[in-house]
Amino acid sequence: GIRIVTGCQIERLAHTGAGVFVEYHDASGKASQHLADIVLLVTGRRPNIEGLGLENTTVRHDRHGIEVDPRLQTTDPNLFAVGDVTGQPMFAHWATAQGLALARHLLGGPVAFPDPRNNSAVIFSEPEIAMAGLTEAQAREQGIDYAVARYDFRGD
Protein backbone atom coordinates (compact mmCIF):
# COMPACT_ATOMS: atom_id res chain seq x y z
CA GLY A 1 0.00 0.00 0.00
CA ILE A 2 2.99 2.34 -0.26
CA ARG A 3 3.74 4.14 -3.50
CA ILE A 4 7.37 5.14 -4.01
CA VAL A 5 8.33 7.52 -6.81
CA THR A 6 12.02 8.27 -7.29
CA GLY A 7 13.81 10.70 -9.54
CA CYS A 8 10.87 13.07 -9.78
CA GLN A 9 10.53 16.84 -9.64
CA ILE A 10 7.76 18.00 -7.31
CA GLU A 11 5.87 20.96 -8.74
CA ARG A 12 3.24 21.51 -6.03
CA LEU A 13 2.16 20.13 -2.66
CA ALA A 14 -1.21 21.09 -1.21
CA HIS A 15 -2.88 19.96 2.01
CA THR A 16 -6.52 19.02 1.45
CA GLY A 17 -9.15 17.52 3.70
CA ALA A 18 -8.43 14.14 2.09
CA GLY A 19 -4.62 14.23 2.38
CA VAL A 20 -1.72 15.79 0.51
CA PHE A 21 -2.17 16.54 -3.18
CA VAL A 22 1.10 16.19 -5.11
CA GLU A 23 1.81 17.37 -8.65
CA TYR A 24 5.13 16.20 -10.08
CA HIS A 25 7.08 15.26 -13.19
CA ASP A 26 8.55 11.76 -13.12
CA ALA A 27 12.07 10.87 -14.28
CA SER A 28 10.89 10.70 -17.91
CA GLY A 29 9.32 14.17 -17.66
CA LYS A 30 5.72 12.94 -17.62
CA ALA A 31 3.40 15.09 -15.46
CA SER A 32 1.52 13.20 -12.76
CA GLN A 33 -0.75 13.87 -9.80
CA HIS A 34 -1.36 11.86 -6.68
CA LEU A 35 -3.34 12.19 -3.46
CA ALA A 36 -1.37 10.79 -0.51
CA ASP A 37 -1.82 10.38 3.22
CA ILE A 38 1.80 11.36 3.82
CA VAL A 39 4.58 12.63 1.56
CA LEU A 40 8.20 11.85 2.40
CA LEU A 41 10.55 14.05 0.42
CA VAL A 42 14.16 12.93 0.35
CA THR A 43 16.91 14.81 -1.43
CA GLY A 44 20.50 13.84 -1.94
CA ARG A 45 23.78 15.63 -2.02
CA ARG A 46 26.73 15.20 -4.31
CA PRO A 47 30.17 16.77 -4.47
CA ASN A 48 30.38 19.90 -6.60
CA ILE A 49 33.70 19.38 -8.37
CA GLU A 50 32.74 20.90 -11.72
CA GLY A 51 34.87 23.83 -12.83
CA LEU A 52 37.75 23.13 -10.44
CA GLY A 53 40.14 22.32 -13.29
CA LEU A 54 40.77 18.79 -12.04
CA GLU A 55 41.29 17.67 -15.64
CA ASN A 56 44.57 19.63 -15.54
CA THR A 57 45.86 17.63 -12.57
CA THR A 58 46.54 14.02 -11.68
CA VAL A 59 43.76 14.11 -9.06
CA ARG A 60 41.55 11.02 -9.28
CA HIS A 61 37.86 11.74 -8.92
CA ASP A 62 34.47 10.43 -9.92
CA ARG A 63 30.84 11.28 -9.25
CA HIS A 64 31.42 10.45 -5.55
CA GLY A 65 34.10 13.14 -5.18
CA ILE A 66 37.83 13.62 -5.03
CA GLU A 67 39.88 10.63 -3.85
CA VAL A 68 41.93 11.41 -0.74
CA ASP A 69 44.04 9.33 1.64
CA PRO A 70 43.56 9.42 5.45
CA ARG A 71 45.76 12.57 5.55
CA LEU A 72 43.46 14.26 2.97
CA GLN A 73 46.12 14.22 0.26
CA THR A 74 44.83 13.66 -3.27
CA THR A 75 46.51 11.50 -5.89
CA ASP A 76 48.41 14.66 -6.89
CA PRO A 77 51.10 14.97 -4.17
CA ASN A 78 50.82 18.77 -4.21
CA LEU A 79 47.08 18.93 -3.63
CA PHE A 80 44.89 18.23 -0.62
CA ALA A 81 41.10 18.32 -0.38
CA VAL A 82 38.62 18.70 2.50
CA GLY A 83 34.89 18.95 2.91
CA ASP A 84 32.06 18.00 0.58
CA VAL A 85 34.32 17.58 -2.48
CA THR A 86 35.80 14.47 -0.83
CA GLY A 87 32.41 12.75 -0.74
CA GLN A 88 30.71 11.38 2.33
CA PRO A 89 30.13 12.48 5.03
CA MET A 90 28.89 15.88 3.85
CA PHE A 91 28.48 17.90 7.04
CA ALA A 92 29.83 21.34 7.96
CA HIS A 93 31.24 20.06 11.26
CA TRP A 94 33.08 17.31 9.37
CA ALA A 95 34.57 19.74 6.83
CA THR A 96 35.69 22.03 9.68
CA ALA A 97 37.39 19.13 11.48
CA GLN A 98 39.13 18.11 8.25
CA GLY A 99 40.25 21.69 7.52
CA LEU A 100 41.63 22.26 11.02
CA ALA A 101 43.50 18.95 10.98
CA LEU A 102 44.97 19.64 7.55
CA ALA A 103 46.07 23.15 8.58
CA ARG A 104 47.86 21.70 11.65
CA HIS A 105 49.48 19.05 9.46
CA LEU A 106 50.67 21.55 6.83
CA LEU A 107 52.10 23.79 9.56
CA GLY A 108 54.03 20.85 11.01
CA GLY A 109 52.04 20.58 14.22
CA PRO A 110 50.76 17.46 15.93
CA VAL A 111 47.54 16.24 14.36
CA ALA A 112 44.98 13.49 14.63
CA PHE A 113 43.05 13.40 11.38
CA PRO A 114 39.28 12.88 11.74
CA ASP A 115 38.22 9.25 11.51
CA PRO A 116 34.94 8.73 9.60
CA ARG A 117 34.02 5.92 12.00
CA ASN A 118 33.68 8.52 14.76
CA ASN A 119 31.59 11.04 12.87
CA SER A 120 28.16 12.04 14.08
CA ALA A 121 25.26 12.42 11.68
CA VAL A 122 21.68 13.60 11.70
CA ILE A 123 18.62 13.13 9.53
CA PHE A 124 16.48 16.26 9.61
CA SER A 125 13.14 14.52 9.77
CA GLU A 126 10.22 14.69 12.18
CA PRO A 127 11.28 13.41 14.61
CA GLU A 128 14.98 14.00 13.94
CA ILE A 129 17.30 11.01 13.94
CA ALA A 130 20.90 11.27 15.09
CA MET A 131 23.76 8.82 15.35
CA ALA A 132 27.42 8.66 16.32
CA GLY A 133 30.00 5.89 16.28
CA LEU A 134 29.42 2.23 15.56
CA THR A 135 26.09 0.46 15.42
CA GLU A 136 25.43 -2.42 17.81
CA ALA A 137 25.95 -4.88 14.96
CA GLN A 138 29.29 -3.31 13.98
CA ALA A 139 30.54 -3.39 17.59
CA ARG A 140 29.46 -7.01 17.92
CA GLU A 141 31.19 -7.95 14.62
CA GLN A 142 34.41 -6.31 15.81
CA GLY A 143 34.27 -7.98 19.22
CA ILE A 144 33.99 -4.66 21.05
CA ASP A 145 32.28 -4.55 24.45
CA TYR A 146 29.46 -2.04 24.37
CA ALA A 147 26.54 -0.78 26.39
CA VAL A 148 23.18 0.40 25.08
CA ALA A 149 21.10 3.16 26.63
CA ARG A 150 17.71 4.11 25.23
CA TYR A 151 15.86 7.31 26.01
CA ASP A 152 12.49 8.60 24.96
CA PHE A 153 12.91 12.28 24.10
CA ARG A 154 9.29 12.89 23.24
CA GLY A 155 7.66 15.73 25.10
CA ASP A 156 4.35 13.96 25.75
Side-chain angles (χ1 to χ4, degrees), residues 149-154:
R150 299 191 194 283
Y151 301 94
D152 184 352
F153 291 103
R154 292 182 298 185

Side-chain angles (χ1 to χ4, degrees), residues 8 26 29 32 70 72 76 85 87 119 121 138-140 142 146:
C8 68
D26 66 18
S32 297
L72 304 170
D76 183 322
V85 297
N119 187 36
Q138 291 168 327
R140 207 172 17 259
Q142 296 177 28
Y146 64 92

Side-chain angles (χ1 to χ4, degrees), residues 81-101:
V82 301
D84 291 0
V85 297
T86 64
Q88 300 296 329
M90 294 180 154
F91 297 110
H93 67 276
W94 185 252
T96 299
Q98 286 181 317
L100 291 171

